[in-house]
Amino acid sequence: AQSFTPSGFSRTPTASGYFAIGRIDYDDFLADGHQTRVRLSKSIGKWATASIHSMDLETGHHFRLLQDHNLAIRAQVAATSSQTLQDLYFLGGLESIRGYLDGQFSGDSYWLLNSEYRIPSFQHPWIVIQHAAFIDLLQMTHLPGLFYSLGTGIRLLCPKIYRLAVRFDYAFHFRPDFGHGISFGLSQFY
């Protein structure tokens, strides 16, 4: 029997390490604190056709402002030495930069910054309606320019169920070739 591996794909064993420093405290629908997470990976073993290294760093800060407002900021930096398709980073859309298609941007390194201000407009022990204004910034290697989106959103939260949230965001940007987008999720953006 002969095995087949498509061009551009490989079966490389990888060792990864992950650690986090800090803590984010959740009090009903409010968050306060900071956390930094790091993940390092390296290809290992005699089957590794090339040495692949990758590093992902994410830091998030949540500030409780006034009585019940939240400012959330997240920054990510990541890089990989691999050029194979499955090792590249695909960003855009649901979890990175709102207003673009999921996975619209790809590359071997990037930096990303998200900032979101959350204000509750209705509070009840069982449901909270929260409005948000946000800005997302992305720079990928090998892609010219800075990609960004601005927008607003609404969150429906249930404080009685730990961190349950339904969110709808509308993001727009000033690049006519990409359009605008609606984002939907079942948790806070970050």
Side-chain angles (χ1 to χ4, degrees):
Q2 184 178 13
S3 67
F4 172 72
T5 303
S7 176
F9 292 89
S10 64
R11 295 183 205 167
T12 305
T14 303
S16 294
Y18 170 89
F19 66 91
I21 300 170
R23 185 173 88 182
I24 297 176
D25 296 317
Y26 294 95
D27 179 19
D28 284 337
F29 62 93
L30 299 170
D32 191 31
H34 67 278
Q35 187 174 53
T36 300
R37 295 181 289 275
V38 177
R39 185 178 65 85
L40 302 170
S41 300
K42 181 180 183 341
S43 60
I44 58 170
K46 65 181 181 179
W47 300 281
T49 57
S51 183
I52 300 171
H53 302 84
S54 67
M55 182 275 308
D56 300 64
L57 171 71
E58 178 180 339
T59 186
H61 299 274
H62 291 74
F63 304 95
R64 194 169 172 173
L65 305 173
L66 301 175
Q67 181 181 352
D68 53 6
H69 295 198
N70 252 153
L71 174 63
I73 300 170
R74 173 178 72 170
Q76 292 179 329
V77 177
T80 181
S81 63
S82 176
Q83 293 299 313
T84 58
L85 187 62
Q86 75 269 18
D87 294 322
L88 295 178
Y89 298 102
F90 290 87
L91 299 172
L94 189 60
E95 294 182 359
S96 55
I97 181 167
R98 293 165 275 199
Y100 295 92
L101 298 175
D102 285 339
Q104 184 166 355
F105 307 108
S106 64
D108 58 5
S109 64
Y110 72 92
W111 65 263
L112 173 73
L113 179 66
N114 307 106
S115 182
E116 187 171 280
Y117 192 73
R118 303 170 185 154
I119 303 167
S121 58
F122 176 79
Q123 296 180 47
H124 182 273
W126 281 95
I127 191 163
V128 174
I129 298 173
Q130 192 178 56
H131 293 83
F134 62 84
I135 183 169
D136 299 332
L137 305 168
L138 171 66
Q139 174 64 59
M140 302 241 15
T141 47
H142 311 301
L143 292 178
L146 177 67
F147 299 94
Y148 62 94
S149 64
L150 304 166
T152 186
I154 189 166
R155 282 93 175 96
L156 304 171
L157 303 118
C158 182
K160 298 287 186 181
I161 302 173
Y162 181 69
R163 296 184 65 192
L164 175 66
V166 176
R167 68 175 169 84
F168 300 94
D169 291 326
Y170 180 76
F172 60 95
H173 43 78
F174 302 100
R175 297 188 67 135
D177 50 334
F178 289 113
H180 306 294
I182 294 176
S183 176
F184 168 77
L186 293 177
S187 65
Q188 292 284 21
F189 190 64
Y190 53 90

